[in-house]
Amino acid sequence: MSFATRPDLTGSFGMVSSTHWLASASGMAMLEAGGSAVDAAVAAAFVLQVVEPHLNGPGGDLVLLISERGGDPVVLGGQGPAPAAASIDAYRARGHAVVPGTGLLAAAVPGSVVAWLTLLRDSGTATVGQVLSYAVHYAEHGYPVLPSMARTIGAVADLLRTEWLPSAEVYLPGDRVPVAGEVLTNPVLASTYRRLVAAAAGVTGREAAVDAVIDAWTTGFVAEAVDDFCRTPWRDTSGQRSTGVLTGQDLAAWRPGYEPAVTTTLGAWTVAKAPAWTQGPAFLQQLRLLDGTDLRPGGADFVHTVVEAAKLAFADRDAWYGDDPDVPLVELLGAPYTEARRALLTDTASYELRPGSPAGRTPRLPDFTAAPAVSAAGTGEPTVARSGENRGDTCHVAVADRWGTMVAATPSGGWLQSSPVIPALGFPLGTRLQMTTLEPGLPASLTPGRRPRTTLSPTIVSRDGRPQLAFGTPGGDQQDQWQLNFFLQLAFSEDGADLQRVVDAPMFHTTHFPSSFFPREASPGQIVVEERFGPGVVAELRRRGHQVVLSAPWSLGRLCVVGRDPSGRLRAASDPRGRQGYAVGR
């Protein structure tokens, strides 16, 4: 691991790493203006909504971890719940066996914007106008179209032209697919941001002003526009034109909340993740399974062992995780259960989906056979395809400031390809409910008021009780595989002190288990590896029974990392994959 594509950034003032250079620059500008890591993260996040609309938007969702001034990491859950009318019976009465992968029926309560504003109110120092100024600028004056964005628009252009006409007005200028590098604007979205800023005018006190903006979203003009839009039928992947079940009252009834992080250890390291309404604990389960094994990063034995642990952890995810108080997370992370599961790891590839029985309970996997075999335009996993082909992905931003605060956040949802643009607001709703099941009695069953289980999964890692790393990556089901590979490389490699070299290390993942996204493809025994692993590693993996798919040399992962050494020195790195993420700092 001697080669590094970029410098390992170090400094003492502040660091920002995100999946788009304009977001990173905007976050750094906020730090330079005297803002905190929170102010910078919020500013960067709103820019991401503008410049990566195929990867996230204001109608989407968010999972965030924050360590404030060196304190214990805390989770802010910006994943909105299922609407009050989103019941299994209601969807089945409309003739659905699964939640559609696009359109209004897949919309949960949009949580991202309210979560960012909540964080700004509680832990920031800037005003709403200050943090939104960068996003307003790019929405109003334009931003360059990314190659992945142009490909995404091209894939759904016919749908936009024939069915989702408000989306065509924004993303098909002159009734054509924009080319990479072309400057695109979204004046309606800029107006929405300006109206949010205006809601704070005349309000005394920064926190009260932010609350006024939250009210404008949850009970004001945004909620009214969402409610009105959801009463109009729009075509989705079922082939039907359906109205939504989301209402303005759903927006008014929900606020994001803070939760303790779930943690486990590896030597002196402590890893913090969000609870089991995300897939975050799967990272911890993998780490527990691998603790005590002879891990030597880089070779076939390393890839094999990590992949086999992932198969077990993600089988448990599918059987047990959800926004359900009955998730047996203590048992899943406990020593007796982990030891029994570790005994299942062998020298050959498993082709079984094997959830465990924590506390003697019988696992139950969802029936994914109800999903259609062929997905329509705009559906499927909004990330690197399970074969390694690039389909786009999600976003991430990580920030560290000179006062000791670190933020790791993964916003997503509200993709331009998954739901029509709301004409009055300039953005579409999210489709996270596609990750629920219409089978009753499961932790991930569609349930009014419960959050759909999400793949969004940022990470904060401490060493000897001091938070030292905040990181994450887009990637759907791959997020907690790519992040784990990064962390293991860092923890076990001799030159792991260089963050950029670790980020640059060859990447891999398994597609053995069903995708979290419509239409739920699974490829038992399959692993996707970057070609940089070399023919010897690939041959050995195939000898052990893995179905190896070779991906391009720099194609898997889009990690964003910031850190703080025990001496207080700040660090940052960004993934060269995707050719758009950057870290900045000084």
Side-chain angles (χ1 to χ4, degrees):
M1 202 162 52
S2 59
F3 176 71
T5 59
R6 297 171 177 179
D8 193 40
L9 301 186
T10 61
S12 59
F13 182 80
M15 295 284 165
V16 184
S17 181
S18 86
T19 49
H20 198 291
W21 70 91
L22 292 177
S24 296
S26 300
M28 194 67 204
M30 182 58 68
L31 290 176
E32 295 287 2
S36 67
V38 167
D39 302 323
V42 177
F46 279 108
V47 170
L48 288 173
Q49 293 177 359
V50 177
V51 302
E52 294 189 330
H54 56 311
L55 311 179
N56 84 135
D61 33 54
L62 163 73
V63 180
L64 179 147
L65 269 74
I66 178 172
S67 167
E68 200 162 3
R69 294 182 178 267
D72 291 339
V74 175
V75 177
L76 176 60
Q79 174 58 65
S87 68
I88 291 173
D89 288 344
Y91 280 54
R92 285 181 169 174
R94 293 189 182 210
H96 295 290
V98 297
V99 178
T102 66
L104 300 185
L105 286 175
V109 175
S112 184
V113 167
V114 181
W116 284 121
L117 293 173
T118 298
L119 183 73
L120 179 68
R121 179 196 64 198
D122 297 343
S123 300
T125 65
T127 66
V128 173
Q130 288 170 328
V131 297
L132 271 173
S133 62
Y134 309 95
V136 170
H137 172 83
Y138 290 117
E140 207 163 58
H141 298 287
Y143 60 93
V145 172
L146 295 166
S148 59
M149 179 179 168
R151 288 193 298 270
T152 299
I153 295 173
V156 296
D158 289 343
L159 174 67
L160 271 53
R161 288 190 182 103
T162 59
E163 296 286 345
W164 296 358
L165 300 184
S167 301
E169 292 181 9
V170 178
Y171 296 112
L172 294 175
D175 194 34
R176 59 177 179 79
V177 176
V179 298
E182 180 177 346
V183 174
L184 207 62
T185 63
N186 190 339
V188 178
L189 179 57
S191 175
T192 295
Y193 287 146
R194 288 191 181 280
R195 291 180 71 182
L196 289 173
V197 172
V203 179
T204 302
R206 194 189 68 88
E207 289 80 6
V210 178
D211 277 332
V213 179
I214 292 174
D215 289 343
W217 181 277
T218 57
T219 61
F221 77 96
V222 173
E224 292 170 1
V226 168
D227 190 301
D228 181 66
F229 186 74
C230 286
R231 308 289 76 79
T232 301
W234 297 91
R235 187 179 292 277
D236 57 39
T237 52
S238 69
Q240 301 177 20
R241 292 183 178 88
S242 301
T243 57
V245 296
L246 181 66
T247 68
Q249 183 56 42
D250 291 314
L251 272 69
W254 179 80
R255 294 294 185 277
Y258 297 95
E259 304 171 60
V262 182
T263 63
T264 197
T265 60
L266 179 71
W269 301 93
T270 299
V271 180
K273 301 291 286 187
W277 55 269
T278 76
Q279 71 175 8
F283 183 114
L284 306 181
Q285 283 196 254
Q286 291 174 88
L287 203 61
R288 297 279 288 151
L289 287 165
L290 296 168
D291 193 6
T293 61
D294 184 18
L295 287 176
R296 298 178 184 178
D301 192 60
F302 173 75
V303 175
H304 168 81
T305 304
V306 172
V307 161
E308 292 306 299
K311 293 175 183 178
L312 295 176
F314 281 87
D316 278 343
R317 181 201 69 171
D318 287 344
W320 299 109
Y321 290 16
D323 189 15
D324 187 327
D326 201 32
V327 174
L329 193 54
V330 173
E331 291 82 3
L332 289 169
L333 293 172
Y337 181 79
T338 300
E339 290 169 5
R341 297 286 277 168
R342 191 183 295 122
L344 298 176
L345 301 176
T346 69
D347 289 336
T348 59
S350 170
Y351 280 65
E352 298 178 78
L353 194 61
R354 298 180 290 178
S357 301
R361 296 168 58 177
T362 302
R364 181 181 163 197
L365 290 167
D367 178 11
F368 296 118
T369 60
V374 179
S375 63
T379 68
E381 189 174 5
T383 180
V384 173
R386 297 172 69 82
S387 65
E389 174 192 358
N390 188 0
R391 288 185 185 168
D393 51 84
T394 240
C395 304
H396 190 82
V397 58
V399 186
D401 67 24
R402 62 192 185 276
W403 298 292
T405 294
M406 289 196 296
V407 176
T410 311
S412 188
W415 311 297
L416 71 86
Q417 66 271 27
S418 59
S419 198
V421 164
I422 302 172
L425 300 175
F427 63 82
L429 293 170
T431 53
R432 190 64 62 178
L433 291 187
Q434 68 178 286
M435 303 173 81
T436 65
T437 175
L438 297 185
E439 295 177 73
L442 296 172
S445 297
L446 177 65
T447 306
R450 282 192 182 177
R451 294 167 289 191
R453 192 193 72 219
T454 180
T455 55
L456 306 180
S457 188
T459 309
I460 288 182
V461 176
S462 303
R463 189 176 178 91
D464 298 322
R466 298 177 180 177
Q468 288 196 9
L469 293 168
F471 58 89
T473 179
D477 293 315
Q478 286 77 52
Q479 286 184 32
D480 282 306
Q481 299 188 64
W482 293 339
Q483 289 185 77
L484 181 70
N485 185 26
F486 161 77
F487 176 65
L488 293 174
Q489 297 274 357
L490 184 73
F492 288 99
S493 296
E494 292 181 1
D495 56 355
D498 189 330
L499 292 181
Q500 190 62 51
R501 282 195 177 92
V502 180
V503 169
D504 289 346
M507 193 62 75
F508 62 91
H509 64 263
T510 180
T511 54
H512 172 82
F513 48 87
S515 168
S516 292
F517 296 91
F518 183 101
R520 309 283 194 174
E521 305 103 321
S523 302
Q526 179 175 285
I527 59 175
V528 182
V529 300
E530 289 184 342
E531 290 178 352
R532 290 187 295 140
F533 274 102
V537 171
V538 172
E540 174 61 16
L541 291 171
R542 285 175 172 154
R543 188 191 70 78
R544 295 189 184 202
H546 297 282
Q547 299 295 319
V548 179
V549 173
L550 292 180
S551 190
W554 297 90
S555 58
L556 304 181
R558 281 177 64 203
L559 279 152
C560 302
V561 189
V562 297
R564 174 183 297 275
D565 286 345
S567 65
R569 181 183 62 159
L570 300 178
R571 306 163 65 196
S574 62
D575 208 320
R577 300 166 176 93
R579 300 196 301 173
Q580 66 198 59
Y582 271 89
V584 294
R586 68 172 178 88

